[in-house]
Amino acid sequence: MVSSAVQPALERMLQDSIKQAIIPALAESSQQMADRISQDLKSEMVQIRKDLQPAAPPVDNGRVLQTLVDAIAALQKKVEQLSTAQQAPAPPVMPVQAPAPSAIGIDLEEIFTQALTVQGPGAIFQLVNDFWGFGGFILPLTPDRKPPFSQIIIVTLLHRVSPSLAST
């Protein structure tokens, strides 16, 4: 009789212990074992991948060194040539002056004013390319000559072109 009264309490306590202690401990140890096996498999796969990769071809240090020696010799020869060319007196160069645009019937004030009405520096750069040969006339280097257009055109040109020059 005592055993029939104690047995259900004992079974309930045993089931509670299994649910509260043994099953969570078993689940945690199973998870840890699965993580450890997964890490071991990953490291083995990495090692196998390393073993299967072909080895890098050996570097021919002699050939690389010879290439460097040849390049240095060529540079030394070039420096010697430039040094001797620099020591030789340069022949006098006569400046070539393009004819004044006004002499060929071009009104620069009007052309530059039209280019300045276009947004962006594209038209101005095109003008500079078109009139490159007239550089000495457009921007005279001597104080006794005045540019062929007004100061407002020069200031506007500088203002319009300066952001483009700053970004390059």
Side-chain angles (χ1 to χ4, degrees):
M1 172 132 174
V2 172
S3 88
S4 64
V6 173
Q7 189 173 358
L10 189 59
E11 285 179 3
R12 200 172 334 119
M13 192 169 74
L14 187 60
Q15 285 179 352
D16 289 343
S17 294
I18 289 173
K19 286 180 184 177
Q20 293 176 358
I22 295 175
I23 291 179
L26 183 61
E28 183 179 335
S29 66
S30 296
Q31 183 62 39
Q32 289 175 353
M33 188 182 304
D35 290 343
R36 201 170 345 148
I37 291 172
S38 175
Q39 289 174 355
D40 289 345
L41 281 175
K42 286 179 183 177
S43 64
E44 272 305 309
M45 293 298 286
V46 168
Q47 186 61 40
I48 290 171
R49 195 176 296 156
K50 285 180 183 177
D51 292 343
L52 292 178
Q53 285 182 343
V59 177
D60 184 9
N61 289 336
R63 198 173 105 214
V64 171
L65 191 58
Q66 185 61 43
T67 304
L68 288 173
V69 167
D70 292 344
I72 290 171
L75 287 173
Q76 285 175 336
K77 188 181 284 186
K78 189 71 171 175
V79 167
E80 289 173 7
Q81 291 172 351
L82 290 173
S83 295
T84 55
Q86 186 180 13
Q87 291 172 355
V93 177
M94 298 302 288
V96 176
Q97 181 69 29
S102 59
I104 55 176
I106 297 174
D107 182 12
L108 288 177
E109 182 87 19
E110 180 62 29
I111 291 173
F112 275 83
T113 303
Q114 287 177 358
L116 288 172
T117 60
V118 177
Q119 288 296 326
I124 297 167
F125 286 134
Q126 183 62 42
L127 262 178
V128 169
N129 285 334
D130 292 346
F131 290 100
W132 187 256
F134 299 119
F137 180 77
I138 293 173
L139 299 171
L141 299 175
T142 58
D144 60 329
R145 286 196 33 225
K146 293 177 74 175
F149 35 81
S150 63
Q151 287 182 347
I152 189 79
I153 297 289
I154 294 172
V155 170
T156 307
L157 278 171
L158 290 174
H159 176 71
R160 190 71 68 81
V161 175
S162 63
S164 298
L165 295 176
S167 66
T168 57

